């Protein structure tokens, strides 16, 4: 039996759709998708702002302690 592999964006969109349907609580969605409640709210916020739901870079934009060269 092959493993079920889903795209991250697809799973996050499914989570947002379930949240918008208001049939399932945020806590239940967090348990179902194995994420924190804070993450559920973050993805919902990104979806409402029509941003993409893919992972973002964690690289800092600048480093104040970096050398000049």
């Amino acid at each position: 039996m092959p493993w079920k592999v889903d795209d991250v964006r697809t799973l996050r969109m499914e989570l947002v759709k379930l949240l918008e349907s208001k049939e399932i609580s945020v806590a239940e969605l967090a348990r179902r998708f194995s994420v924190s409640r804070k993450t559920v709210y973050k993805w919902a916020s990104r979806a409402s702002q029509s941003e993409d739901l893919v992972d973002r870079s964690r690289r800092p934009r600048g480093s104040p302690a970096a050398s000049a060269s």
Side-chain angles (χ1 to χ4, degrees), residues 19-56:
L19 182 63
E20 289 173 349
S21 72
K22 298 181 182 179
E23 295 176 7
I24 302 174
S25 69
V26 172
E28 177 59 32
L29 283 172
R31 278 191 292 274
R32 187 180 292 186
F33 286 86
S34 301
V35 296
S36 68
R37 288 177 293 160
K38 182 178 178 180
T39 302
V40 172
Y41 286 116
K42 177 177 70 174
W43 290 343
S45 173
R46 285 187 188 172
S48 69
Q49 297 171 1
S50 69
E51 293 182 32
D52 205 8
L53 292 174
V54 295
D55 286 334
R56 292 182 177 174

Side-chain angles (χ1 to χ4, degrees), residues 62-68:
S63 179
S67 61

